[in-house]
Amino acid sequence: MTFPGGVINVLKPPGMTSHDVVSYIRRQYGQKRVGHAGTLDPAAAGVLPVFLGKATRLIEYFADDDKSYRAEIILGVATDTGDDTGKVLCSQDVIMPETEALITALNSFRGRQEQIPPMYSAIKVDGKKMYELARAGITVAREARTIDISNIGLIRRLEQGFSFDVTCSKGTYIRSLCEDIGKKLGYPAMMSFLVRTRVGAFALEQAHTLEEIAVQPLQVLQPADLMLGRLPTICLSAAEFTEMIHGRPVICPDTCYPADERVRMYDEEKRFVGIGRLVQSPVNLVLKPEKIMFTDPS
């Protein structure tokens, strides 16, 4: 059976890598072109958007989406990986801070800041992933990266830690955030649990388990363009459609969208044509093709 392209909101189980999930989807759908948006740690669970067929060409438009997580932090313990899968480096007794102190510490991480990524990450140094170097006992200098935490809040106190929700920009390492929160509270710390609850428009409540995907492979597929709902839409006339699929810009249809705006383009039959960008020329606003997905004029 030939399966149409699309995107699946996968609920990745703990113990599988993101690549493992992609391999599973390839086998289930008999598709070679499969990719994912936003790597999730093997020990973590949660939302993993997986794209099939032509939809893989749209992954780049999801790369900058904010992500939301629920994490659990244990105070008084540090490991070499930053989570409970690693080797314990140190431990100490903990007197749990008051709730107000926990809230204050979490709130101090709101906004733009610099974060040093962990050694156990997939960032490449001289062609080698850092976690491969770390497993070989090699530590390298890591440059801080700018991240943005738009929301963070306490969920529940534990005997020796607490759980919290966080919404952050791409490239944020929650393991490193847990360690930094521990330092703010005066303790070593590690992440003991992580579930990703959202990637852009993909929410945990609508995610599908691998078992559900195996039973209803067609039903779980969604058109990738619908998940780009944050982009405004423009309907092309037949003549504009012809120009677009041949890579030629058109004078922009009447629109209140500003220059440099990306838009989803549809033909007169409401079929998704692709992604365009509005560009201000010396004379008028033009719509330039950026990613054409549909080219059948019939």
Side-chain angles (χ1 to χ4, degrees):
M1 181 183 295
T2 300
F3 289 91
V7 60
I8 309 171
N9 183 358
V10 178
L11 176 56
K12 188 191 89 64
M16 289 183 75
T17 67
S18 300
H19 180 72
D20 290 337
V21 174
V22 167
S23 297
Y24 177 87
I25 297 297
R26 280 199 185 104
R27 293 192 301 272
Q28 287 294 321
Y29 288 84
Q31 288 259 0
K32 291 184 178 180
R33 296 174 63 188
V34 180
H36 67 80
T39 301
L40 195 55
D41 281 352
V47 172
L48 182 69
V50 177
F51 297 75
L52 291 80
K54 284 186 177 181
T56 56
R57 300 181 62 222
L58 295 174
I59 291 177
E60 63 182 277
Y61 297 102
F62 296 85
D64 293 333
D65 283 349
D66 282 356
K67 299 171 177 62
S68 298
Y69 300 88
R70 176 160 294 185
E72 185 177 278
I73 179 173
I74 297 298
L75 299 176
V77 181
T79 67
D80 58 353
T81 60
D83 60 20
D84 59 359
T85 67
K87 176 184 176 182
V88 174
L89 301 176
C90 67
S91 63
Q92 67 181 76
D93 294 334
V94 172
I95 299 176
M96 272 298 293
E98 297 295 328
T99 298
E100 191 60 38
L102 299 180
I103 294 173
T104 299
L106 290 172
N107 285 338
S108 71
F109 287 91
R110 292 177 183 265
R112 290 175 67 85
Q113 60 206 267
E114 299 295 301
Q115 184 187 68
I116 298 176
M119 271 300 303
Y120 280 85
S121 67
I123 297 172
K124 288 188 176 181
V125 176
D126 295 330
K128 288 236 175 187
K129 294 178 180 178
M130 286 207 298
Y131 69 76
E132 294 173 336
L133 298 174
R135 288 169 181 168
I138 301 172
T139 301
V140 297
R142 291 153 283 160
E143 292 186 5
R145 297 183 168 194
T146 301
I147 63 168
D148 186 18
I149 294 178
S150 56
N151 195 29
I152 189 168
L154 180 68
I155 298 300
R156 185 167 64 95
R157 289 172 58 93
L158 305 170
E159 184 177 348
Q160 194 179 323
F162 54 93
S163 58
F164 64 95
D165 282 345
V166 58
T167 297
C168 52
S169 62
K170 71 168 186 175
T172 303
Y173 285 91
I174 307 302
R175 285 174 289 140
S176 294
L177 176 61
C178 287
E179 291 177 327
D180 292 339
I181 292 170
K183 290 176 184 177
K184 180 75 69 171
L185 293 168
Y187 290 105
M190 70 171 186
M191 183 183 76
S192 58
F193 170 83
L194 181 67
V195 60
R196 185 155 66 190
T197 56
R198 186 182 61 83
V199 175
F202 299 89
L204 183 64
E205 292 77 11
Q206 287 80 46
H208 300 280
T209 66
L210 299 184
E211 292 77 12
E212 290 172 336
I213 294 167
V215 173
Q216 295 185 313
L218 285 178
Q219 289 86 339
V220 301
L221 272 177
Q222 303 175 66
D225 60 295
L226 295 184
M227 305 310 293
L228 285 167
R230 66 184 182 280
L231 298 183
T233 63
I234 283 181
C235 182
L236 303 174
S237 67
E240 290 165 345
F241 172 81
T242 299
E243 294 297 296
M244 275 290 143
I245 65 174
H246 288 94
R248 295 189 289 265
V250 300
I251 296 175
C252 188
D254 290 337
T255 177
C256 60
Y257 306 140
D260 207 38
E261 179 86 76
R262 276 196 179 110
V263 298
R264 290 176 291 156
M265 303 182 296
Y266 293 83
D267 69 1
E268 292 177 328
E269 302 298 322
K270 308 298 184 184
R271 293 172 296 194
F272 178 54
V273 176
I275 305 294
R277 185 184 288 275
L278 298 170
V279 178
Q280 184 66 57
S281 75
V283 179
N284 47 35
L285 195 65
V286 299
L287 177 61
K288 289 188 173 182
E290 187 172 279
K291 185 84 68 174
I292 299 300
M293 303 293 293
F294 175 75
T295 59
D296 182 6
S298 61

